[in-house]
Amino acid sequence: MTQNEPSVESAEHPHPERGYIHRKDDYLKRLRRIEGQARGLQRMVEEEQYCIDILTQVSAMTKALQSVSLGLLEEHLGHCVVRAAQTGGPEADEKVKEATDAIARLVRS
Amino acid sequence: MTQNEPSVESAEHPHPERGYIHRKDDYLKRLRRIEGQARGLQRMVEEEQYCIDILTQVSAMTKALQSVSLGLLEEHLGHCVVRAAQTGGPEADEKVKEATDAIARLVRS
Amino acid sequence: MTQNEPSVESAEHPHPERGYIHRKDDYLKRLRRIEGQARGLQRMVEEEQYCIDILTQVSAMTKALQSVSLGLLEEHLGHCVVRAAQTGGPEADEKVKEATDAIARLVRS
Amino acid sequence: MTQNEPSVESAEHPHPERGYIHRKDDYLKRLRRIEGQARGLQRMVEEEQYCIDILTQVSAMTKALQSVSLGLLEEHLGHCVVRAAQTGGPEADEKVKEATDAIARLVRS
């Protein structure tokens, strides 16, 4: 983020420090697809489709969500955590603890 | 399923043998809530909220999906697999194999 | 299990009804390998090897354990649960509930 | 790590930079317990114990391994990744990528 990129600090990007900002459209697209999968599952239940076919779709949707998580996490480590480490002090420890807690929730969910 | 429950075999329930049928409305409600969570995540990304808060919501949504899977699976085992076991023959083995494959996909997703 | 296989009901096989009995040696071999992986991990920590390499080994060991679980579960469904279903009555429901609880523990661990 | 801690750089600690070094004994103790669980599982299979009881022990062992992973990962982020971030340059990006790949393996295993 240099002085030459003022637009990122504009109203359009209230938090230019978020790691995922530069791939925002990609995340929105993936989340819209996931929303569509949730609607597809409702249709399958509505039509009383076969349980195993519904389970296969739930697994696909879970994988898509997991992939969103891993992407967000990578960008979080590469931006927020790296920046906190460079600043140093207690904030670095705090960010590492916070990221580890989020990873634990991911691993256990 | 006895002769005294003809309505289940009506047009409303094309597949009365599906294990989840008697809880269909509950599943639809849960899936609508999951669809709402997917929309909530899009709003969070749109507003450029903090990565860790988004990850927390993704974990909550994954847990909700997992709980739908486990419910569907229990009903599948209790209805389709039990019925196939009672019929016996190759269909029983097939249903067990099919259920195990679905469980493996769940465990690995 | 026919009348021609009396040895299975001998002292050597106190529970001939366990689904995994006929693959007992295979499971013992896999569990011995997993025990070896646990010892290998201790050596890696002892020698202060690189954290990421240790994590890679932990993931491999977790996958090996998961594969043992899925195998045991398939045999449990194919033997104990199928048998209970054929017997019918409350035991069938109980076995399905018990298996689903075990699956939930697997999915969440 | 300052000049005042020479013992850490001794033969006993060939890699003083490993994040988990200061909890090495704790990790060794946990891994020995996990090795014991692997032996306990062999005994259970040997004695032909009930499948579900074996599955419960496998889940407990998987959870113990997962907890080792999350501990190692937290220390890796807090030491190796933070240090690389402070050094800056391509090594920081590399370490973040490497850690994310390890997290992905954990989440998917």
PDB file of all heavy atoms in Angstrom, chain C residues 13 18 20-21 24 32 35 39 42 46 48-50 58 69 95 98, chain D residues 13 18 20-21 24 32 35 42 46 48-50 58 69 95 98:
ATOM      1  N   HIS C  13     -11.232 -66.681  19.244  1.00  0.00           N
ATOM      2  CA  HIS C  13     -12.163 -65.643  18.816  1.00  0.00           C
ATOM      3  C   HIS C  13     -13.348 -65.573  19.766  1.00  0.00           C
ATOM      4  O   HIS C  13     -14.424 -66.096  19.472  1.00  0.00           O
ATOM      5  CB  HIS C  13     -12.645 -65.887  17.387  1.00  0.00           C
ATOM      6  CG  HIS C  13     -11.590 -65.643  16.376  1.00  0.00           C
ATOM      7  ND1 HIS C  13     -11.072 -64.390  16.129  1.00  0.00           N
ATOM      8  CD2 HIS C  13     -10.912 -66.495  15.578  1.00  0.00           C
ATOM      9  CE1 HIS C  13     -10.146 -64.479  15.189  1.00  0.00           C
ATOM     10  NE2 HIS C  13     -10.011 -65.737  14.847  1.00  0.00           N
ATOM     11  N   ARG C  18     -17.979 -59.807  16.004  1.00  0.00           N
ATOM     12  CA  ARG C  18     -17.369 -58.513  15.677  1.00  0.00           C
ATOM     13  C   ARG C  18     -17.098 -58.425  14.177  1.00  0.00           C
ATOM     14  O   ARG C  18     -16.479 -59.339  13.607  1.00  0.00           O
ATOM     15  CB  ARG C  18     -16.021 -58.341  16.403  1.00  0.00           C
ATOM     16  CG  ARG C  18     -16.106 -58.411  17.904  1.00  0.00           C
ATOM     17  CD  ARG C  18     -16.713 -57.162  18.498  1.00  0.00           C
ATOM     18  NE  ARG C  18     -16.703 -57.250  19.950  1.00  0.00           N
ATOM     19  CZ  ARG C  18     -17.782 -57.453  20.700  1.00  0.00           C
ATOM     20  NH1 ARG C  18     -18.973 -57.580  20.141  1.00  0.00           N
ATOM     21  NH2 ARG C  18     -17.675 -57.511  22.014  1.00  0.00           N
ATOM     22  N   TYR C  20     -14.986 -56.788  12.467  1.00  0.00           N
ATOM     23  CA  TYR C  20     -13.608 -56.624  11.975  1.00  0.00           C
ATOM     24  C   TYR C  20     -12.757 -57.881  12.152  1.00  0.00           C
ATOM     25  O   TYR C  20     -11.602 -57.920  11.726  1.00  0.00           O
ATOM     26  CB  TYR C  20     -12.923 -55.440  12.666  1.00  0.00           C
ATOM     27  CG  TYR C  20     -12.796 -55.578  14.176  1.00  0.00           C
ATOM     28  CD1 TYR C  20     -11.732 -56.280  14.748  1.00  0.00           C
ATOM     29  CD2 TYR C  20     -13.733 -55.012  15.032  1.00  0.00           C
ATOM     30  CE1 TYR C  20     -11.616 -56.412  16.124  1.00  0.00           C
ATOM     31  CE2 TYR C  20     -13.630 -55.136  16.406  1.00  0.00           C
ATOM     32  CZ  TYR C  20     -12.565 -55.839  16.943  1.00  0.00           C
ATOM     33  OH  TYR C  20     -12.459 -55.966  18.289  1.00  0.00           O
ATOM     34  N   ILE C  21     -13.328 -58.919  12.792  1.00  0.00           N
ATOM     35  CA  ILE C  21     -12.563 -60.130  13.123  1.00  0.00           C
ATOM     36  C   ILE C  21     -11.799 -60.694  11.928  1.00  0.00           C
ATOM     37  O   ILE C  21     -10.620 -60.993  12.027  1.00  0.00           O
ATOM     38  CB  ILE C  21     -13.522 -61.226  13.655  1.00  0.00           C
ATOM     39  CG1 ILE C  21     -14.089 -60.817  14.989  1.00  0.00           C
ATOM     40  CG2 ILE C  21     -12.820 -62.583  13.705  1.00  0.00           C
ATOM     41  CD1 ILE C  21     -13.202 -61.070  16.156  1.00  0.00           C
ATOM     42  N   LYS C  24      -8.643 -58.886  11.343  1.00  0.00           N
ATOM     43  CA  LYS C  24      -7.937 -58.551  12.587  1.00  0.00           C
ATOM     44  C   LYS C  24      -6.434 -58.311  12.371  1.00  0.00           C
ATOM     45  O   LYS C  24      -5.879 -57.324  12.860  1.00  0.00           O
ATOM     46  CB  LYS C  24      -8.146 -59.736  13.555  1.00  0.00           C
ATOM     47  CG  LYS C  24      -7.851 -59.443  14.985  1.00  0.00           C
ATOM     48  CD  LYS C  24      -8.282 -60.631  15.856  1.00  0.00           C
ATOM     49  CE  LYS C  24      -7.461 -60.700  17.127  1.00  0.00           C
ATOM     50  NZ  LYS C  24      -7.963 -61.770  18.037  1.00  0.00           N
ATOM     51  N   ARG C  32       0.157 -51.089  14.463  1.00  0.00           N
ATOM     52  CA  ARG C  32       1.583 -51.133  14.799  1.00  0.00           C
ATOM     53  C   ARG C  32       2.339 -50.055  14.026  1.00  0.00           C
ATOM     54  O   ARG C  32       3.237 -49.413  14.561  1.00  0.00           O
ATOM     55  CB  ARG C  32       2.175 -52.507  14.477  1.00  0.00           C
ATOM     56  CG  ARG C  32       2.143 -53.450  15.689  1.00  0.00           C
ATOM     57  CD  ARG C  32       3.025 -54.677  15.484  1.00  0.00           C
ATOM     58  NE  ARG C  32       2.565 -55.485  14.353  1.00  0.00           N
ATOM     59  CZ  ARG C  32       1.660 -56.478  14.441  1.00  0.00           C
ATOM     60  NH1 ARG C  32       1.140 -56.793  15.608  1.00  0.00           N
ATOM     61  NH2 ARG C  32       1.306 -57.157  13.376  1.00  0.00           N
ATOM     62  N   GLU C  35       1.680 -46.837  15.706  1.00  0.00           N
ATOM     63  CA  GLU C  35       2.521 -46.753  16.913  1.00  0.00           C
ATOM     64  C   GLU C  35       3.948 -46.325  16.518  1.00  0.00           C
ATOM     65  O   GLU C  35       4.554 -45.482  17.184  1.00  0.00           O
ATOM     66  CB  GLU C  35       2.550 -48.127  17.625  1.00  0.00           C
ATOM     67  CG  GLU C  35       3.264 -48.104  18.963  1.00  0.00           C
ATOM     68  CD  GLU C  35       3.610 -49.513  19.460  1.00  0.00           C
ATOM     69  OE1 GLU C  35       2.922 -50.478  19.048  1.00  0.00           O
ATOM     70  OE2 GLU C  35       4.571 -49.649  20.242  1.00  0.00           O
ATOM     71  N   ARG C  39       6.294 -43.009  17.565  1.00  0.00           N
ATOM     72  CA  ARG C  39       7.693 -43.029  18.013  1.00  0.00           C
ATOM     73  C   ARG C  39       8.547 -42.142  17.117  1.00  0.00           C
ATOM     74  O   ARG C  39       9.424 -41.428  17.597  1.00  0.00           O
ATOM     75  CB  ARG C  39       8.224 -44.462  18.015  1.00  0.00           C
ATOM     76  CG  ARG C  39       8.156 -45.103  19.407  1.00  0.00           C
ATOM     77  CD  ARG C  39       9.042 -46.324  19.494  1.00  0.00           C
ATOM     78  NE  ARG C  39       8.688 -47.289  18.456  1.00  0.00           N
ATOM     79  CZ  ARG C  39       7.716 -48.210  18.592  1.00  0.00           C
ATOM     80  NH1 ARG C  39       7.056 -48.309  19.725  1.00  0.00           N
ATOM     81  NH2 ARG C  39       7.439 -49.025  17.612  1.00  0.00           N
ATOM     82  N   GLN C  42       8.290 -38.597  18.161  1.00  0.00           N
ATOM     83  CA  GLN C  42       9.109 -38.296  19.351  1.00  0.00           C
ATOM     84  C   GLN C  42      10.564 -38.049  18.948  1.00  0.00           C
ATOM     85  O   GLN C  42      11.216 -37.135  19.444  1.00  0.00           O
ATOM     86  CB  GLN C  42       9.036 -39.447  20.352  1.00  0.00           C
ATOM     87  CG  GLN C  42       7.683 -39.554  21.029  1.00  0.00           C
ATOM     88  CD  GLN C  42       7.531 -40.856  21.789  1.00  0.00           C
ATOM     89  OE1 GLN C  42       8.264 -41.134  22.723  1.00  0.00           O
ATOM     90  NE2 GLN C  42       6.574 -41.670  21.378  1.00  0.00           N
ATOM     91  N   GLU C  46      12.681 -34.757  19.585  1.00  0.00           N
ATOM     92  CA  GLU C  46      13.965 -34.947  20.282  1.00  0.00           C
ATOM     93  C   GLU C  46      15.102 -34.273  19.499  1.00  0.00           C
ATOM     94  O   GLU C  46      15.941 -33.575  20.075  1.00  0.00           O
ATOM     95  CB  GLU C  46      14.208 -36.461  20.381  1.00  0.00           C
ATOM     96  CG  GLU C  46      15.200 -36.904  21.427  1.00  0.00           C
ATOM     97  CD  GLU C  46      14.699 -36.658  22.843  1.00  0.00           C
ATOM     98  OE1 GLU C  46      13.945 -37.494  23.374  1.00  0.00           O
ATOM     99  OE2 GLU C  46      15.081 -35.614  23.397  1.00  0.00           O
ATOM    100  N   GLU C  48      14.810 -31.935  17.449  1.00  0.00           N
ATOM    101  CA  GLU C  48      14.434 -30.553  17.157  1.00  0.00           C
ATOM    102  C   GLU C  48      14.317 -30.281  15.663  1.00  0.00           C
ATOM    103  O   GLU C  48      14.817 -29.280  15.151  1.00  0.00           O
ATOM    104  CB  GLU C  48      15.416 -29.590  17.832  1.00  0.00           C
ATOM    105  CG  GLU C  48      15.444 -29.847  19.334  1.00  0.00           C
ATOM    106  CD  GLU C  48      16.371 -28.930  20.111  1.00  0.00           C
ATOM    107  OE1 GLU C  48      16.952 -28.028  19.509  1.00  0.00           O
ATOM    108  OE2 GLU C  48      16.470 -29.131  21.336  1.00  0.00           O
ATOM    109  N   GLN C  49      13.611 -31.186  14.967  1.00  0.00           N
ATOM    110  CA  GLN C  49      13.410 -30.982  13.529  1.00  0.00           C
ATOM    111  C   GLN C  49      12.428 -29.834  13.278  1.00  0.00           C
ATOM    112  O   GLN C  49      11.785 -29.324  14.190  1.00  0.00           O
ATOM    113  CB  GLN C  49      12.938 -32.286  12.881  1.00  0.00           C
ATOM    114  CG  GLN C  49      14.064 -33.340  12.880  1.00  0.00           C
ATOM    115  CD  GLN C  49      13.730 -34.545  12.015  1.00  0.00           C
ATOM    116  OE1 GLN C  49      12.936 -34.459  11.074  1.00  0.00           O
ATOM    117  NE2 GLN C  49      14.340 -35.667  12.331  1.00  0.00           N
ATOM    118  N   TYR C  50      12.310 -29.465  12.010  1.00  0.00           N
ATOM    119  CA  TYR C  50      11.517 -28.299  11.622  1.00  0.00           C
ATOM    120  C   TYR C  50      10.013 -28.525  11.884  1.00  0.00           C
ATOM    121  O   TYR C  50       9.449 -29.558  11.480  1.00  0.00           O
ATOM    122  CB  TYR C  50      11.773 -28.003  10.149  1.00  0.00           C
ATOM    123  CG  TYR C  50      11.136 -26.732   9.653  1.00  0.00           C
ATOM    124  CD1 TYR C  50      11.187 -25.549  10.397  1.00  0.00           C
ATOM    125  CD2 TYR C  50      10.483 -26.703   8.421  1.00  0.00           C
ATOM    126  CE1 TYR C  50      10.600 -24.386   9.936  1.00  0.00           C
ATOM    127  CE2 TYR C  50       9.903 -25.540   7.943  1.00  0.00           C
ATOM    128  CZ  TYR C  50       9.956 -24.392   8.710  1.00  0.00           C
ATOM    129  OH  TYR C  50       9.371 -23.244   8.254  1.00  0.00           O
ATOM    130  N   VAL C  58       2.332 -35.462  11.512  1.00  0.00           N
ATOM    131  CA  VAL C  58       1.113 -35.568  12.329  1.00  0.00           C
ATOM    132  C   VAL C  58      -0.101 -35.725  11.405  1.00  0.00           C
ATOM    133  O   VAL C  58      -0.991 -36.548  11.664  1.00  0.00           O
ATOM    134  CB  VAL C  58       0.940 -34.349  13.270  1.00  0.00           C
ATOM    135  CG1 VAL C  58      -0.384 -34.441  14.014  1.00  0.00           C
ATOM    136  CG2 VAL C  58       2.085 -34.267  14.278  1.00  0.00           C
ATOM    137  N   SER C  69     -10.529 -45.914  11.310  1.00  0.00           N
ATOM    138  CA  SER C  69     -11.905 -45.646  11.769  1.00  0.00           C
ATOM    139  C   SER C  69     -12.929 -45.985  10.706  1.00  0.00           C
ATOM    140  O   SER C  69     -13.948 -46.621  10.992  1.00  0.00           O
ATOM    141  CB  SER C  69     -12.124 -44.155  12.050  1.00  0.00           C
ATOM    142  OG  SER C  69     -11.266 -43.691  13.022  1.00  0.00           O
ATOM    143  N   LYS C  95     -28.825 -49.563  17.891  1.00  0.00           N
ATOM    144  CA  LYS C  95     -27.568 -49.726  17.156  1.00  0.00           C
ATOM    145  C   LYS C  95     -27.355 -48.569  16.168  1.00  0.00           C
ATOM    146  O   LYS C  95     -26.232 -48.113  15.975  1.00  0.00           O
ATOM    147  CB  LYS C  95     -27.557 -51.062  16.386  1.00  0.00           C
ATOM    148  CG  LYS C  95     -27.398 -52.271  17.277  1.00  0.00           C
ATOM    149  CD  LYS C  95     -25.979 -52.371  17.822  1.00  0.00           C
ATOM    150  CE  LYS C  95     -25.827 -53.521  18.791  1.00  0.00           C
ATOM    151  NZ  LYS C  95     -24.609 -53.444  19.597  1.00  0.00           N
ATOM    152  N   GLU C  98     -26.347 -45.554  18.193  1.00  0.00           N
ATOM    153  CA  GLU C  98     -24.967 -45.733  18.665  1.00  0.00           C
ATOM    154  C   GLU C  98     -23.959 -45.487  17.532  1.00  0.00           C
ATOM    155  O   GLU C  98     -22.943 -44.810  17.714  1.00  0.00           O
ATOM    156  CB  GLU C  98     -24.828 -47.158  19.202  1.00  0.00           C
ATOM    157  CG  GLU C  98     -23.532 -47.460  19.904  1.00  0.00           C
ATOM    158  CD  GLU C  98     -23.431 -48.954  20.221  1.00  0.00           C
ATOM    159  OE1 GLU C  98     -23.534 -49.780  19.275  1.00  0.00           O
ATOM    160  OE2 GLU C  98     -23.248 -49.301  21.386  1.00  0.00           O
TER     161      GLU C  98
ATOM    162  N   HIS D  13      20.560 -28.127  22.146  1.00  0.00           N
ATOM    163  CA  HIS D  13      19.542 -27.475  21.324  1.00  0.00           C
ATOM    164  C   HIS D  13      20.130 -27.036  19.992  1.00  0.00           C
ATOM    165  O   HIS D  13      20.471 -25.872  19.802  1.00  0.00           O
ATOM    166  CB  HIS D  13      18.950 -26.264  22.057  1.00  0.00           C
ATOM    167  CG  HIS D  13      18.087 -26.668  23.201  1.00  0.00           C
ATOM    168  ND1 HIS D  13      16.903 -27.337  23.039  1.00  0.00           N
ATOM    169  CD2 HIS D  13      18.261 -26.533  24.526  1.00  0.00           C
ATOM    170  CE1 HIS D  13      16.362 -27.580  24.221  1.00  0.00           C
ATOM    171  NE2 HIS D  13      17.166 -27.114  25.144  1.00  0.00           N
ATOM    172  N   ARG D  18      13.611 -23.080  16.732  1.00  0.00           N
ATOM    173  CA  ARG D  18      12.332 -23.798  16.654  1.00  0.00           C
ATOM    174  C   ARG D  18      11.378 -23.268  17.717  1.00  0.00           C
ATOM    175  O   ARG D  18      11.746 -23.195  18.900  1.00  0.00           O
ATOM    176  CB  ARG D  18      12.522 -25.301  16.907  1.00  0.00           C
ATOM    177  CG  ARG D  18      13.454 -25.983  15.960  1.00  0.00           C
ATOM    178  CD  ARG D  18      12.829 -26.159  14.583  1.00  0.00           C
ATOM    179  NE  ARG D  18      13.740 -26.894  13.721  1.00  0.00           N
ATOM    180  CZ  ARG D  18      14.416 -26.336  12.709  1.00  0.00           C
ATOM    181  NH1 ARG D  18      14.260 -25.056  12.421  1.00  0.00           N
ATOM    182  NH2 ARG D  18      15.226 -27.059  11.980  1.00  0.00           N
ATOM    183  N   TYR D  20       8.908 -24.589  19.233  1.00  0.00           N
ATOM    184  CA  TYR D  20       8.396 -25.506  20.265  1.00  0.00           C
ATOM    185  C   TYR D  20       9.461 -25.921  21.284  1.00  0.00           C
ATOM    186  O   TYR D  20       9.144 -26.652  22.239  1.00  0.00           O
ATOM    187  CB  TYR D  20       7.784 -26.753  19.607  1.00  0.00           C
ATOM    188  CG  TYR D  20       8.758 -27.577  18.796  1.00  0.00           C
ATOM    189  CD1 TYR D  20       9.583 -28.528  19.404  1.00  0.00           C
ATOM    190  CD2 TYR D  20       8.877 -27.415  17.427  1.00  0.00           C
ATOM    191  CE1 TYR D  20      10.479 -29.279  18.664  1.00  0.00           C
ATOM    192  CE2 TYR D  20       9.764 -28.153  16.680  1.00  0.00           C
ATOM    193  CZ  TYR D  20      10.563 -29.094  17.298  1.00  0.00           C
ATOM    194  OH  TYR D  20      11.449 -29.835  16.572  1.00  0.00           O
ATOM    195  N   ILE D  21      10.715 -25.474  21.071  1.00  0.00           N
ATOM    196  CA  ILE D  21      11.844 -25.912  21.907  1.00  0.00           C
ATOM    197  C   ILE D  21      11.558 -25.766  23.404  1.00  0.00           C
ATOM    198  O   ILE D  21      11.796 -26.692  24.180  1.00  0.00           O
ATOM    199  CB  ILE D  21      13.103 -25.098  21.558  1.00  0.00           C
ATOM    200  CG1 ILE D  21      13.574 -25.445  20.167  1.00  0.00           C
ATOM    201  CG2 ILE D  21      14.213 -25.316  22.608  1.00  0.00           C
ATOM    202  CD1 ILE D  21      14.407 -26.672  20.065  1.00  0.00           C
ATOM    203  N   LYS D  24       9.512 -28.557  24.677  1.00  0.00           N
ATOM    204  CA  LYS D  24       9.912 -29.857  24.127  1.00  0.00           C
ATOM    205  C   LYS D  24       9.489 -31.026  25.024  1.00  0.00           C
ATOM    206  O   LYS D  24       8.938 -32.021  24.534  1.00  0.00           O
ATOM    207  CB  LYS D  24      11.434 -29.829  23.980  1.00  0.00           C
ATOM    208  CG  LYS D  24      12.015 -30.890  23.088  1.00  0.00           C
ATOM    209  CD  LYS D  24      13.512 -30.615  22.874  1.00  0.00           C
ATOM    210  CE  LYS D  24      14.247 -31.912  22.611  1.00  0.00           C
ATOM    211  NZ  LYS D  24      15.662 -31.665  22.221  1.00  0.00           N
ATOM    212  N   ARG D  32       4.376 -39.579  23.859  1.00  0.00           N
ATOM    213  CA  ARG D  32       4.505 -40.893  24.499  1.00  0.00           C
ATOM    214  C   ARG D  32       3.125 -41.415  24.897  1.00  0.00           C
ATOM    215  O   ARG D  32       2.832 -42.606  24.760  1.00  0.00           O
ATOM    216  CB  ARG D  32       5.404 -40.802  25.745  1.00  0.00           C
ATOM    217  CG  ARG D  32       6.880 -41.091  25.439  1.00  0.00           C
ATOM    218  CD  ARG D  32       7.697 -41.345  26.704  1.00  0.00           C
ATOM    219  NE  ARG D  32       7.728 -40.183  27.579  1.00  0.00           N
ATOM    220  CZ  ARG D  32       8.636 -39.205  27.514  1.00  0.00           C
ATOM    221  NH1 ARG D  32       9.611 -39.252  26.617  1.00  0.00           N
ATOM    222  NH2 ARG D  32       8.591 -38.169  28.331  1.00  0.00           N
ATOM    223  N   GLU D  35       1.526 -42.658  21.803  1.00  0.00           N
ATOM    224  CA  GLU D  35       2.102 -43.977  21.476  1.00  0.00           C
ATOM    225  C   GLU D  35       1.425 -45.052  22.338  1.00  0.00           C
ATOM    226  O   GLU D  35       1.074 -46.127  21.854  1.00  0.00           O
ATOM    227  CB  GLU D  35       3.615 -43.960  21.739  1.00  0.00           C
ATOM    228  CG  GLU D  35       4.326 -45.233  21.280  1.00  0.00           C
ATOM    229  CD  GLU D  35       5.747 -45.355  21.870  1.00  0.00           C
ATOM    230  OE1 GLU D  35       6.355 -44.311  22.198  1.00  0.00           O
ATOM    231  OE2 GLU D  35       6.209 -46.505  22.028  1.00  0.00           O
ATOM    232  N   GLN D  42      -4.205 -51.683  19.889  1.00  0.00           N
ATOM    233  CA  GLN D  42      -3.820 -53.023  19.444  1.00  0.00           C
ATOM    234  C   GLN D  42      -4.351 -54.076  20.419  1.00  0.00           C
ATOM    235  O   GLN D  42      -4.840 -55.124  20.011  1.00  0.00           O
ATOM    236  CB  GLN D  42      -2.294 -53.135  19.354  1.00  0.00           C
ATOM    237  CG  GLN D  42      -1.721 -52.343  18.191  1.00  0.00           C
ATOM    238  CD  GLN D  42      -0.213 -52.202  18.274  1.00  0.00           C
ATOM    239  OE1 GLN D  42       0.506 -53.179  18.237  1.00  0.00           O
ATOM    240  NE2 GLN D  42       0.272 -50.978  18.402  1.00  0.00           N
ATOM    241  N   GLU D  46      -6.810 -57.055  19.584  1.00  0.00           N
ATOM    242  CA  GLU D  46      -6.341 -58.400  19.984  1.00  0.00           C
ATOM    243  C   GLU D  46      -7.411 -59.122  20.813  1.00  0.00           C
ATOM    244  O   GLU D  46      -7.702 -60.298  20.579  1.00  0.00           O
ATOM    245  CB  GLU D  46      -5.066 -58.204  20.820  1.00  0.00           C
ATOM    246  CG  GLU D  46      -4.185 -59.425  20.970  1.00  0.00           C
ATOM    247  CD  GLU D  46      -3.526 -59.817  19.651  1.00  0.00           C
ATOM    248  OE1 GLU D  46      -2.499 -59.212  19.276  1.00  0.00           O
ATOM    249  OE2 GLU D  46      -4.074 -60.729  19.005  1.00  0.00           O
ATOM    250  N   GLU D  48     -10.475 -58.530  20.762  1.00  0.00           N
ATOM    251  CA  GLU D  48     -11.739 -58.478  20.013  1.00  0.00           C
ATOM    252  C   GLU D  48     -12.833 -57.713  20.750  1.00  0.00           C
ATOM    253  O   GLU D  48     -13.981 -58.163  20.855  1.00  0.00           O
ATOM    254  CB  GLU D  48     -12.200 -59.910  19.652  1.00  0.00           C
ATOM    255  CG  GLU D  48     -11.122 -60.613  18.831  1.00  0.00           C
ATOM    256  CD  GLU D  48     -11.456 -62.042  18.424  1.00  0.00           C
ATOM    257  OE1 GLU D  48     -12.584 -62.477  18.681  1.00  0.00           O
ATOM    258  OE2 GLU D  48     -10.573 -62.695  17.826  1.00  0.00           O
ATOM    259  N   GLN D  49     -12.445 -56.549  21.243  1.00  0.00           N
ATOM    260  CA  GLN D  49     -13.431 -55.717  21.936  1.00  0.00           C
ATOM    261  C   GLN D  49     -14.443 -55.117  20.948  1.00  0.00           C
ATOM    262  O   GLN D  49     -14.274 -55.187  19.723  1.00  0.00           O
ATOM    263  CB  GLN D  49     -12.714 -54.634  22.748  1.00  0.00           C
ATOM    264  CG  GLN D  49     -11.948 -55.240  23.942  1.00  0.00           C
ATOM    265  CD  GLN D  49     -11.475 -54.190  24.921  1.00  0.00           C
ATOM    266  OE1 GLN D  49     -12.060 -53.119  25.024  1.00  0.00           O
ATOM    267  NE2 GLN D  49     -10.417 -54.498  25.647  1.00  0.00           N
ATOM    268  N   TYR D  50     -15.470 -54.507  21.526  1.00  0.00           N
ATOM    269  CA  TYR D  50     -16.582 -54.002  20.707  1.00  0.00           C
ATOM    270  C   TYR D  50     -16.138 -52.837  19.800  1.00  0.00           C
ATOM    271  O   TYR D  50     -15.502 -51.879  20.251  1.00  0.00           O
ATOM    272  CB  TYR D  50     -17.710 -53.554  21.655  1.00  0.00           C
ATOM    273  CG  TYR D  50     -18.985 -53.145  20.956  1.00  0.00           C
ATOM    274  CD1 TYR D  50     -19.505 -53.894  19.916  1.00  0.00           C
ATOM    275  CD2 TYR D  50     -19.670 -52.005  21.354  1.00  0.00           C
ATOM    276  CE1 TYR D  50     -20.672 -53.517  19.282  1.00  0.00           C
ATOM    277  CE2 TYR D  50     -20.851 -51.626  20.727  1.00  0.00           C
ATOM    278  CZ  TYR D  50     -21.343 -52.382  19.685  1.00  0.00           C
ATOM    279  OH  TYR D  50     -22.499 -52.010  19.061  1.00  0.00           O
ATOM    280  N   VAL D  58     -10.180 -44.384  19.112  1.00  0.00           N
ATOM    281  CA  VAL D  58      -9.534 -43.766  17.944  1.00  0.00           C
ATOM    282  C   VAL D  58      -9.859 -42.269  17.913  1.00  0.00           C
ATOM    283  O   VAL D  58      -8.979 -41.437  17.650  1.00  0.00           O
ATOM    284  CB  VAL D  58      -9.969 -44.443  16.623  1.00  0.00           C
ATOM    285  CG1 VAL D  58      -9.373 -43.722  15.427  1.00  0.00           C
ATOM    286  CG2 VAL D  58      -9.535 -45.909  16.589  1.00  0.00           C
ATOM    287  N   SER D  69      -0.912 -30.785  17.078  1.00  0.00           N
ATOM    288  CA  SER D  69      -0.764 -29.981  15.853  1.00  0.00           C
ATOM    289  C   SER D  69      -1.035 -28.513  16.110  1.00  0.00           C
ATOM    290  O   SER D  69      -0.275 -27.641  15.664  1.00  0.00           O
ATOM    291  CB  SER D  69      -1.795 -30.372  14.797  1.00  0.00           C
ATOM    292  OG  SER D  69      -1.676 -31.698  14.443  1.00  0.00           O
ATOM    293  N   LYS D  95       7.112 -18.209   4.100  1.00  0.00           N
ATOM    294  CA  LYS D  95       6.736 -18.809   5.388  1.00  0.00           C
ATOM    295  C   LYS D  95       5.217 -18.811   5.558  1.00  0.00           C
ATOM    296  O   LYS D  95       4.647 -19.759   6.110  1.00  0.00           O
ATOM    297  CB  LYS D  95       7.383 -18.044   6.556  1.00  0.00           C
ATOM    298  CG  LYS D  95       8.870 -18.275   6.709  1.00  0.00           C
ATOM    299  CD  LYS D  95       9.164 -19.666   7.240  1.00  0.00           C
ATOM    300  CE  LYS D  95      10.644 -19.948   7.269  1.00  0.00           C
ATOM    301  NZ  LYS D  95      10.975 -21.362   7.469  1.00  0.00           N
ATOM    302  N   GLU D  98       3.865 -21.547   3.320  1.00  0.00           N
ATOM    303  CA  GLU D  98       4.184 -22.859   3.920  1.00  0.00           C
ATOM    304  C   GLU D  98       3.265 -23.164   5.104  1.00  0.00           C
ATOM    305  O   GLU D  98       2.762 -24.283   5.244  1.00  0.00           O
ATOM    306  CB  GLU D  98       5.645 -22.823   4.362  1.00  0.00           C
ATOM    307  CG  GLU D  98       6.216 -24.134   4.836  1.00  0.00           C
ATOM    308  CD  GLU D  98       7.600 -23.946   5.461  1.00  0.00           C
ATOM    309  OE1 GLU D  98       7.719 -23.154   6.434  1.00  0.00           O
ATOM    310  OE2 GLU D  98       8.552 -24.573   4.996  1.00  0.00           O
TER     311      GLU D  98
END
